[in-house]
Amino acid sequence: MRILATLLVKEFKQIFRNRLMLPIIFVVPVVQMILLTYAASLEMKGINMAVVDQDYSQASRLLVSRFEASPFFEINLSTGSYQEAENELTSDHVDVILHMQHDFELKLYSEKETDLQLVVNAINATEAGLINAYCTQIIADFNGQVRARWFGLEGSGLLISLDIIPKYWYNPLLDFKIYMFSGILVIIVTLIGMLLTALNLVREKEMGTTEQINVTPIRKYQFIMAKLIPFMIIALFELAFGLVIGRLLFGLPIVGSLGLLFLFTCVYLLTVLGIGLFLSTISNTQQQLMYMAFFFMLTFILMSGVFTPAESMPQWAQKLNLLNPVAYFMKVIRMILLKGSEFRDISREFYSLCIYATLILTLAITNYRKTS
Amino acid sequence: MEVREHIIEVKDMVKKYGSFTANDHLSFHVERGEIFGFLGANGAGKTTAMRILCGLSYPTSGEIRVAGHDVYRERERIKRKIGYMSQKFSLYEDLTVSENIHLYAGIYGLGRKQIVVREEQLLERLGLAHVRNRLIREIPLGWKQKLAFSVAIFHQPAIVFLDEPTGGVDPITRRQFWEMIHDATEEGITVFVTTHYMDEAEYCDRVSIMVDGRIDALDTPAALKQQYESVNMNEVFLKLARS
């Protein structure tokens, strides 16, 4: 125990003597949390719209006014020429064109139905899907209003329709930032923990001080633990710090138990830091380590369901995610924070990570060579 | 002449890296309390042999005992009884003089009080008391080398291994360094030292000279000079290396 304590004192002194460490712990995560939460947010505001109203009737103006009233749409261009609108779309100045031909209202009265054209820029498919959904909803509202106002009296019997009001559980206001923020917090905690730990060990290898350590009677597990514990504490601190930022800036809900979240995070960190340490036992230079760490980090993060739920990935990808610790944490942090899940809800993930952590740490310790 | 205990005993030690033989059937012993010089040109296999004796590297074959323990099965026991100062500078640059002493002393399980007392004596003797709280990276190379040696023997090992300890330091510091080595033997520590400064070989009790992975000569400096009809060790070395 005394040897471990001696080593821990050394590690902490070295960590906080590194001038870059405090910015890495405090500044970098805050910038990432704020920047990425807004930037990666899929929420739609200010969709740029071009209106081609060739009818200019009461009906067409009514529809346009509904778009104007929506907080999501910004009408940038009102024109009679479809060509002009299309030019704006191809040059990326508008996201969507609403096109009504000269017989829009006439057909509505005479044939009781009419046509309109919606052209959506689908370079960003997700965004296009959302724009389409928003437009359809507004047009459906307009439809109801028209039927009520003009045909309402005689067709009152037909007017009974199902009015679907969706209620979004665990994120009632569909605040995408909350969803995004929890994901970004996972990434930051993972990156800081895994990379700092792994780089630290490889740096000692590069400097040649591990050789001096290897001729001493230090046990391998003592050395590995001394590398693991400080960064585990830093990563846990980072999580606490992130939760405070999220609470203050984004009103992040914390429905479940914080104790449970931190307990789960401990097991999670043992796993990812273990992976980092394992990678550093098989690398000789910081450069080699960075290549490998980036491969694993990118794959883990992109597959973890940070942007899209992992449940909507193909079956084989979901199977692969059994090996992806980030996916477990991504799911559990949202379950605990947003949904208030309890231990029994996350026990499967918890025990899986316990096994994972044990395996990877054993591998890291046995693979660390005191003798070559 | 009294027969002294063999603190290092090496028989037919071989180390191969693929088809390259770094150590080709080395056999020698080191007596307790002597200064054993391990000489040879760059690439002759000195460091390889030393790393095996310290338990940093596995031998390919051979019978090797260090401080009474077998290098295959009892490496961790050996490590308790040895000190090592590598070619690459091995103190932590971002820790202070005092912190380095406490770190290594703590690793060998010395008590806190004991450490404090001996640290005081050590810094006094080295004349480094005024820089005890300076980072290693801020002090001159000569001081670092002396400190690294003192840290390597701080836990009073039976043997200390020094791998080219005086590389890059000025003649005066080298001289002081060798005085420190002598002081260490007075305390009963056996010194195993590699070097390619031939004047330093004169300070050793016995020297071995390695050429291409083999030991070509092993005796006291005086006997070697007589055998090779040379005035100094430098000549001995050149004659051996050219033959």
Side-chain angles (χ1 to χ4, degrees), chain B:
Chain B
M1 199 178 134
E2 59 170 323
V3 179
R4 290 205 282 183
E5 185 195 342
H6 294 179
I7 196 152
I8 299 176
E9 187 75 66
V10 176
K11 257 188 219 142
D12 284 327
M13 180 166 91
V14 176
K15 175 72 180 183
K16 286 183 176 170
Y17 294 103
S19 61
F20 173 69
T21 307
N23 288 164
D24 189 1
H25 295 276
L26 301 187
S27 293
F28 62 93
H29 67 266
V30 176
E31 290 168 6
R32 183 182 284 277
E34 73 172 341
I35 301 178
F36 188 84
F38 207 56
L39 276 54
N42 290 327
K46 302 187 300 279
T47 301
T48 306
M50 183 179 258
R51 286 173 56 86
I52 292 172
L53 297 179
C54 293
L56 282 174
S57 177
Y58 293 109
T60 308
S61 66
E63 242 178 80
I64 304 127
R65 295 183 78 79
V66 176
H69 299 292
D70 183 80
V71 296
Y72 296 95
R73 287 176 290 111
E74 300 173 303
R75 274 195 310 280
E76 296 309 310
R77 288 226 177 138
I78 292 175
K79 284 173 184 175
R80 300 203 156 271
K81 295 190 178 173
I82 62 168
Y84 172 67
M85 180 179 165
S86 70
Q87 225 167 356
K88 254 191 182 176
F89 187 67
S90 52
L91 296 175
Y92 284 92
E93 297 266 317
D94 49 358
L95 293 180
T96 65
V97 170
S98 174
E99 285 165 352
N100 268 289
I101 294 173
H102 279 260
L103 169 65
Y104 283 111
I107 287 173
Y108 286 102
L110 271 67
R112 173 166 287 279
K113 274 191 193 144
Q114 201 185 357
I115 298 175
V116 173
V117 172
R118 287 176 49 192
E119 177 192 13
E120 218 53 54
Q121 293 169 348
L122 171 68
L123 292 177
E124 201 58 49
R125 198 166 62 235
L126 293 180
L128 294 179
H130 62 295
V131 292
R132 63 174 351 134
N133 292 323
R134 294 273 290 280
L135 297 183
I136 292 295
R137 74 162 82 94
E138 294 168 349
I139 68 173
L141 181 68
W143 297 7
K144 289 185 200 175
Q145 303 283 73
K146 285 190 206 167
L147 184 66
F149 175 70
S150 306
V151 166
I153 60 168
F154 197 83
H155 60 290
Q156 294 174 315
I159 313 166
V160 64
F161 292 89
L162 309 172
D163 195 2
E164 291 176 19
T166 53
V169 299
D170 62 76
I172 297 168
T173 312
R174 264 173 58 199
R175 179 121 215 144
Q176 291 169 339
F177 197 90
W178 275 91
E179 278 164 20
M180 290 174 66
I181 292 179
H182 270 284
D183 291 346
T185 59
E186 308 268 284
E187 287 174 42
I189 297 173
T190 307
V191 178
F192 186 102
V193 56
T194 73
T195 180
H196 39 226
Y197 292 111
M198 290 305 142
D199 58 324
E200 290 186 347
E202 311 268 1
Y203 304 138
C204 299
D205 293 318
R206 289 193 305 144
V207 294
S208 75
I209 298 178
M210 271 189 88
V211 179
D212 294 334
R214 286 185 314 277
I215 293 181
D216 277 13
L218 198 169
D219 214 327
T220 61
L224 286 174
K225 280 185 279 192
Q226 199 176 21
Q227 189 188 340
Y228 290 91
E229 294 164 346
S230 309
V231 287
N232 56 33
M233 285 304 293
N234 206 28
E235 244 183 276
V236 173
F237 184 74
L238 289 174
K239 279 183 180 165
L240 270 168
R242 281 186 190 140
S243 61

Side-chain angles (χ1 to χ4, degrees), chain A residues 245-313:
Chain A
I245 300 267
R247 188 89 195 144
L248 293 179
L249 289 184
F250 303 104
L252 181 77
I254 301 176
V255 183
S257 145
L258 277 178
L260 181 61
L261 179 61
F262 276 87
L263 175 71
F264 188 87
T265 311
C266 283
V267 182
Y268 170 71
L269 286 172
L270 285 176
T271 314
V272 285
L273 269 56
I275 293 174
L277 284 170
F278 172 68
L279 292 180
S280 62
T281 61
I282 57 176
S283 333
N284 289 317
T285 63
Q286 298 188 54
Q287 197 181 24
Q288 285 175 353
L289 177 91
M290 285 307 271
Y291 280 123
M292 278 196 297
F294 267 113
F295 167 76
F296 282 101
M297 290 297 303
L298 272 181
T299 317
F300 281 166
I301 289 172
L302 290 178
M303 289 200 47
S304 69
V306 59
F307 300 113
T308 46
E311 288 81 7
S312 55
M313 287 179 188

Side-chain angles (χ1 to χ4, degrees), chain A residues 50-98:
Chain A
V51 174
V52 184
D53 187 355
Q54 291 166 333
D55 192 31
Y56 220 69
S57 60
Q58 207 186 346
S60 71
R61 268 175 295 155
L62 183 67
L63 180 58
V64 172
S65 73
R66 295 209 64 121
F67 276 101
E68 276 170 349
S70 159
F72 299 111
F73 291 91
E74 198 85 48
I75 296 179
N76 288 38
L77 176 73
S78 258
T79 173
S81 150
Y82 178 76
Q83 195 52 49
E84 192 185 341
E86 200 179 275
N87 289 342
E88 287 295 288
L89 185 85
T90 48
S91 57
D92 252 353
H93 292 128
V94 301
D95 304 308
V96 56
I97 302 173
L98 175 70

Side-chain angles (χ1 to χ4, degrees), chain A residues 70-365:
Chain A
S70 159
F72 299 111
F73 291 91
E74 198 85 48
I75 296 179
N76 288 38
L77 176 73
S78 258
T79 173
S81 150
Y82 178 76
Q83 195 52 49
E84 192 185 341
E86 200 179 275
N87 289 342
E88 287 295 288
L89 185 85
T90 48
S91 57
D92 252 353
H93 292 128
V94 301
D95 304 308
V96 56
I97 302 173
L98 175 70
H99 183 198
M100 290 158 293
Q101 283 173 316
H102 64 275
D103 54 356
F104 180 75
E105 193 180 58
L106 186 72
K107 271 171 115 178
L108 189 63
Y109 284 119
S110 58
E111 297 171 26
K112 305 255 188 287
E113 61 175 43
T114 188
D115 305 316
L116 62 84
Q117 187 187 22
L118 208 55
V119 184
V120 186
N121 182 350
I123 284 182
N124 179 339
T126 321
E127 199 179 298
L130 281 170
I131 293 175
N132 187 32
Y134 285 145
C135 291
T136 314
Q137 204 173 350
I138 289 175
I139 292 164
D141 275 357
F142 165 78
N143 215 1
Q145 197 185 2
V146 166
R147 277 164 63 186
R149 192 183 286 181
W150 287 315
F151 315 112
L153 289 174
E154 64 260 42
S156 56
L158 295 169
L159 201 63
I160 299 164
S161 63
L162 289 174
D163 206 359
I164 300 168
I165 301 169
K167 198 163 157 61
Y168 300 99
W169 278 24
Y170 311 126
N171 192 354
L173 300 175
L174 279 186
D175 185 349
F176 202 81
K177 286 198 287 298
I178 288 172
Y179 181 79
M180 220 42 238
F181 182 85
S182 47
I184 283 156
L185 191 54
V186 167
I187 295 178
I188 289 170
V189 169
T190 310
L191 266 177
I192 292 231
M194 183 168 158
L195 275 186
L196 291 185
T197 320
L199 281 174
N200 183 289
L201 205 160
V202 180
R203 201 176 130 243
E204 275 215 30
K205 273 196 194 176
E206 275 187 5
M207 308 253 289
T209 40
T210 43
E211 179 139 315
Q212 195 67 38
I213 291 288
N214 290 346
V215 291
T216 69
I218 289 182
R219 323 281 310 209
K220 292 199 275 183
Y221 81 87
Q222 290 171 328
F223 187 64
I224 294 286
M225 284 300 142
K227 291 286 173 206
L228 185 96
I229 294 169
F231 294 104
M232 184 144 161
I233 293 173
I234 290 175
L236 283 171
F237 170 80
E238 203 69 64
L239 175 69
F241 182 58
L243 288 174
V244 172
I245 300 267
R247 188 89 195 144
L248 293 179
L249 289 184
F250 303 104
L252 181 77
I254 301 176
V255 183
S257 145
L258 277 178
L260 181 61
L261 179 61
F262 276 87
L263 175 71
F264 188 87
T265 311
C266 283
V267 182
Y268 170 71
L269 286 172
L270 285 176
T271 314
V272 285
L273 269 56
I275 293 174
L277 284 170
F278 172 68
L279 292 180
S280 62
T281 61
I282 57 176
S283 333
N284 289 317
T285 63
Q286 298 188 54
Q287 197 181 24
Q288 285 175 353
L289 177 91
M290 285 307 271
Y291 280 123
M292 278 196 297
F294 267 113
F295 167 76
F296 282 101
M297 290 297 303
L298 272 181
T299 317
F300 281 166
I301 289 172
L302 290 178
M303 289 200 47
S304 69
V306 59
F307 300 113
T308 46
E311 288 81 7
S312 55
M313 287 179 188
Q315 275 299 319
W316 59 264
Q318 293 191 38
K319 290 249 165 62
L320 274 182
N321 260 344
L322 289 175
L323 291 174
N324 180 357
V326 186
Y328 290 89
F329 193 39
M330 197 65 79
K331 186 172 165 195
V332 168
I333 196 175
R334 285 169 177 160
M335 282 172 77
I336 296 177
L337 286 181
L338 309 184
K339 203 166 154 185
S341 295
E342 289 168 18
F343 183 75
R344 63 189 143 83
D345 305 310
I346 61 156
S347 60
R348 212 178 67 89
E349 283 78 9
F350 183 81
Y351 293 125
S352 306
L353 279 189
C354 283
I355 296 169
Y356 204 150
T358 312
L359 290 180
I360 195 76
L361 281 174
T362 311
L363 199 59
I365 290 171

